[in-house]
Amino acid sequence: MSDVARLAGVSIKTVSRVVNDEPAVHPKTAERVLAAIEQLGFRRNLGARNLRRGSTGTIGLIVEDVGNPFYSELNRAVERIATAHDRHVLTGSCGEDTERERELVYEFSSRRVDGMLVVPAGDRHGYLLPEMRAGTPMVFVDRPPGDIVADTVLVDNFGGTVQAVRHLARHGHRRIAFLGDRPDVFTATERLRGFREGCLQAGLRYDERLAVLRTPTLESVTDVVNRLLRGPKRATAVIAGNNRVAVHLLRALAHVTPRPAVVGFDDFELADLLNVTVIAHDVGRLGEAAAELLFGRIHGDDSAPRKVVLPVHLAPRGSGEVAP
Amino acid sequence: MSDVARLAGVSIKTVSRVVNDEPAVHPKTAERVLAAIEQLGFRRNLGARNLRRGSTGTIGLIVEDVGNPFYSELNRAVERIATAHDRHVLTGSCGEDTERERELVYEFSSRRVDGMLVVPAGDRHGYLLPEMRAGTPMVFVDRPPGDIVADTVLVDNFGGTVQAVRHLARHGHRRIAFLGDRPDVFTATERLRGFREGCLQAGLRYDERLAVLRTPTLESVTDVVNRLLRGPKRATAVIAGNNRVAVHLLRALAHVTPRPAVVGFDDFELADLLNVTVIAHDVGRLGEAAAELLFGRIHGDDSAPRKVVLPVHLAPRGSGEVAP
């Protein structure tokens, strides 16, 4: 730093102010300091800087599965915001396992992350209160926490599914099936709630045999297709409750005729080429909104916890616009 | 620890040995200690353990884009191995920017990761030598480093593309186009090399106008489709040089007739439903092999740097098995 100060013709204190982005430095002076830094190839000592500001320079992101394209898009958006705030992202997959979620929170916490973004697996989060009181901000993404009040960013699961049912009903469908993720996944039960409300609004009888919540695998989805979407009493349309269900459903339906109408919740890559109508939302926006909220907290925003619900929209592409 | 020792009826030293996975503890004794830990809900102090073993409990993973499904699958595999070794994964996207790659390496290095997995953007890596000499193992994934010798795990880019050309030639194609990523991306130039060799082996004239290397965007790919795959002198088949090129190519070809034969390099989700023939390889295996090599180094393996080349295979699904 003294070399930089000498080259720029300023005091060491001024160099320090510029490096730490403190105010009260004339722009011209700051420019000269930055040029001197550039010229000397001065590399900030991150460890020292982090110690000084009491930060490890990392935030934690806990999702169900970093390999699921939905979460990798979320990860990319979070990384974008984190980079702008000079932070790195520690990621972990909890695989819908509440024990694993808790382990990851403790691990990240013991690594002193500056904050955490959590797509929670479980619905009990009292265990987080000590970490939160100790000053680690937490923002819940895509699903709310169970038994505590905390910042949460969601999409309109309920409204989107109501819209899907009404869309299919407008195209003449009276028997619509809903195939969602496990019943302990918040988005699955919210979308199921939207499904029931949509049936009500469209004047359809809600038939609980047509609503199935299960871990989406090719096997489980194929089984439901065989039970509900074939034979004389079959449903003529189906709503896929998330991107994983949709992908398995497309495979399971590959050789089924007549083919039911399909609307998926969540957009996914190549859905357009496969003509799949979806309830779309911007996963990038979801990640950005959550990360921005988190950095607001890290920078001292201590207002009451917020709940943000992002809008969704129907993208008609063919599969949802066929008559029974 | 003293509570655990008392409950298990062993010394504190023995508890420490079990917790740190050191040898020289009788299995029966270890079992008793683990049961006592379980019973008392003893949570290891990670910070202390890491300080003791000189580890931060993290490894770094630098890829082009954490949002690209290829890299998210890689990320998942690396996470799986890292978890088994009790480590977390710091990820960063460098977006084919050599400056950003270098920044991420320095950042991860200043965070004292135990090792790094790098999908390099650039071809100059002399700057890594000080970090490597300081004892941070590095393994290069999917692309080799530029001007140093280091552990590298690749797939058979050359052989796979030779196979693709021969496959198309067997189906009667004489004019085959190759559309790859930027010429400074190793996999792009290796696959182009395979393309030339494939033409030679199949007895085709290599026409350099049919080989285009560019950053894959919908615009750039559409432009190439319009120039090379339409009109009377068009190529009748095309090889997509990676998963990004393939996805854009499918969109660009959506309304093109007659449709050229297509073979992609890299498998991708839903390629089966879109009947896309690909040169497939196991991205999960790539990530696992690289991570296992890295942990071998972290655990003290100081043998000569290794180069591992994983096999690929042709998965025929329709798009590559049509006549001109």
Side-chain angles (χ1 to χ4, degrees):
Chain A
M1 277 173 96
S2 62
D3 292 342
V4 172
R6 203 170 309 122
L7 186 63
V10 299
S11 69
I12 290 179
K13 183 74 198 149
T14 302
V15 175
S16 162
R17 280 205 184 104
V18 172
V19 169
N20 291 305
D21 224 7
E22 285 167 24
V25 178
H26 193 282
K28 281 261 180 249
T29 312
E31 213 172 275
R32 208 161 62 234
V33 171
L34 292 171
I37 286 170
E38 183 80 12
Q39 190 176 327
L40 292 168
F42 168 85
R43 185 143 64 83
R44 283 172 308 182
N45 182 326
L46 280 172
R49 184 193 56 183
N50 289 334
L51 275 177
R52 201 167 47 241
R53 75 176 180 199
S55 157
T56 55
T58 50
I59 61 168
L61 170 65
I62 299 176
V63 298
E64 185 227 326
D65 172 9
V66 293
N68 176 337
F70 179 89
Y71 295 112
S72 63
E73 204 177 327
L74 188 78
N75 191 357
R76 164 158 52 183
V78 168
E79 180 184 83
R80 197 161 47 230
I81 303 297
T83 301
H85 288 275
D86 210 13
R87 298 299 200 293
H88 283 276
V89 184
L90 269 170
T91 51
S93 307
C94 66
E96 302 295 9
D97 177 343
T98 58
E99 252 325 293
R100 179 88 187 121
E101 174 204 305
R102 191 187 279 243
E103 265 175 45
L104 281 168
V105 166
Y106 284 139
E107 292 263 340
F108 287 174
S109 176
S110 73
R111 289 180 206 295
R112 308 276 294 275
V113 293
D114 296 333
M116 274 184 246
L117 294 165
V118 184
V119 179
D123 58 357
R124 316 265 312 238
H125 294 95
Y127 78 93
L128 287 175
L129 290 176
E131 319 284 342
M132 290 167 76
R133 277 197 210 101
T136 307
M138 307 257 176
V139 173
F140 289 82
V141 192
D142 199 43
R143 308 169 182 177
D147 47 8
I148 62 172
V149 177
D151 288 322
T152 307
V153 184
L154 308 171
V155 302
D156 186 5
N157 299 292
F158 178 78
T161 320
V162 169
Q163 211 182 331
V165 177
R166 294 180 57 145
H167 183 76
L168 289 166
R170 262 200 303 282
H171 285 86
H173 296 277
R174 312 288 306 165
R175 282 180 64 74
I176 303 172
F178 176 84
L179 186 38
D181 207 326
R182 286 165 36 165
D184 55 344
V185 173
F186 169 80
T187 49
T189 53
E190 276 300 287
R191 291 168 192 179
L192 176 61
R193 211 163 62 76
F195 176 65
R196 297 180 73 141
E197 173 66 20
C199 290
L200 199 69
Q201 291 189 15
L204 309 179
R205 196 173 61 82
Y206 170 72
D207 179 349
E208 66 174 14
R209 286 166 304 179
L210 294 183
V212 181
L213 299 192
R214 276 203 200 168
T215 300
T217 63
L218 182 57
E219 292 64 38
S220 71
V221 172
T222 303
D223 176 54
V224 175
V225 164
N226 289 336
R227 279 197 298 115
L228 302 182
L229 296 163
R230 304 186 106 158
K233 296 208 62 186
R234 70 180 177 274
T236 60
V238 55
I239 296 171
N242 68 21
N243 70 332
R244 293 294 85 193
V245 175
V247 166
H248 293 307
L249 182 64
L250 292 177
R251 284 215 178 86
L253 287 175
H255 303 290
V256 170
T257 49
R259 184 124 174 192
V262 174
V263 175
F265 202 115
D266 298 331
D267 206 354
F268 55 94
E269 186 161 83
L270 298 175
D272 56 337
L273 285 184
L274 290 160
N275 307 316
V276 183
T277 295
V278 297
I279 301 295
H281 54 96
D282 188 339
V283 184
R285 188 69 209 110
L286 179 66
E288 281 173 8
E292 276 161 1
L293 189 46
L294 183 69
F295 280 106
R297 298 307 188 186
I298 290 172
H299 295 140
D301 172 3
D302 59 357
S303 57
R306 245 169 288 165
K307 183 178 161 181
V308 179
V309 179
L310 299 174
V312 300
H313 70 276
L314 190 127
R317 296 186 182 132
S319 74
E321 294 73 42
V322 287
Chain B
M1 276 174 97
S2 62
D3 291 343
V4 172
R6 204 170 310 122
L7 186 63
V10 299
S11 68
I12 290 180
K13 184 73 198 147
T14 301
V15 175
S16 161
R17 281 205 183 103
V18 171
V19 169
N20 291 306
D21 224 7
E22 286 168 22
V25 178
H26 193 280
K28 281 262 181 243
T29 311
E31 212 172 275
R32 209 161 64 233
V33 170
L34 291 172
I37 286 171
E38 182 81 10
Q39 189 176 328
L40 292 168
F42 168 84
R43 185 144 65 85
R44 284 170 307 179
N45 182 326
L46 279 173
R49 183 194 55 181
N50 289 335
L51 276 177
R52 201 167 47 240
R53 74 173 179 199
S55 157
T56 55
T58 49
I59 61 167
L61 170 65
I62 298 175
V63 299
E64 185 227 326
D65 172 8
V66 293
N68 175 336
F70 179 89
Y71 295 113
S72 64
E73 203 177 328
L74 188 77
N75 192 357
R76 165 158 51 184
V78 168
E79 180 184 85
R80 197 163 45 231
I81 303 298
T83 301
H85 288 275
D86 209 13
R87 297 299 200 293
H88 284 276
V89 183
L90 268 171
T91 51
S93 307
C94 66
E96 301 296 7
D97 177 343
T98 58
E99 252 324 293
R100 179 88 187 121
E101 174 204 306
R102 191 187 279 243
E103 264 175 47
L104 282 167
V105 166
Y106 284 141
E107 291 264 340
F108 287 174
S109 176
S110 73
R111 288 178 206 297
R112 308 274 296 273
V113 294
D114 296 333
M116 274 185 246
L117 295 165
V118 183
V119 179
D123 58 356
R124 316 261 317 233
H125 294 94
Y127 78 93
L128 287 175
L129 290 176
E131 319 284 341
M132 291 166 75
R133 277 196 209 102
T136 307
M138 308 257 175
V139 174
F140 289 81
V141 193
D142 199 42
R143 308 170 183 176
D147 47 7
I148 61 172
V149 176
D151 288 323
T152 307
V153 184
L154 309 171
V155 303
D156 186 4
N157 298 293
F158 178 78
T161 319
V162 170
Q163 212 181 330
V165 177
R166 296 180 57 145
H167 183 75
L168 288 166
R170 261 199 305 280
H171 285 86
H173 296 276
R174 312 288 304 165
R175 281 180 65 73
I176 302 172
F178 176 83
L179 186 38
D181 207 327
R182 289 166 33 166
D184 55 344
V185 173
F186 169 80
T187 49
T189 52
E190 275 301 287
R191 290 169 193 178
L192 175 61
R193 213 164 59 79
F195 176 65
R196 297 179 73 140
E197 172 67 19
C199 289
L200 199 70
Q201 291 190 15
L204 309 179
R205 196 173 60 83
Y206 170 71
D207 179 350
E208 67 176 12
R209 286 165 304 178
L210 294 182
V212 180
L213 299 192
R214 277 204 200 169
T215 301
T217 64
L218 183 54
E219 292 66 36
S220 71
V221 172
T222 303
D223 176 53
V224 174
V225 163
N226 289 336
R227 280 197 297 117
L228 301 182
L229 297 163
R230 304 185 108 158
K233 295 208 63 185
R234 71 179 176 275
T236 60
V238 54
I239 296 172
N242 69 22
N243 70 332
R244 293 294 86 193
V245 175
V247 166
H248 294 307
L249 182 65
L250 293 176
R251 284 213 178 86
L253 288 175
H255 304 289
V256 171
T257 49
R259 184 126 175 189
V262 175
V263 174
F265 203 115
D266 298 330
D267 206 354
F268 54 95
E269 187 161 81
L270 298 174
D272 56 336
L273 285 184
L274 290 160
N275 306 317
V276 183
T277 295
V278 296
I279 301 296
H281 54 96
D282 187 340
V283 184
R285 188 67 209 112
L286 179 66
E288 282 172 8
E292 277 161 0
L293 189 46
L294 183 69
F295 280 106
R297 298 307 187 183
I298 290 171
H299 295 141
D301 172 2
D302 59 358
S303 57
R306 244 169 288 167
K307 182 177 164 183
V308 180
V309 178
L310 299 174
V312 300
H313 69 277
L314 191 128
R317 295 183 182 135
S319 73
E321 293 74 40
V322 286

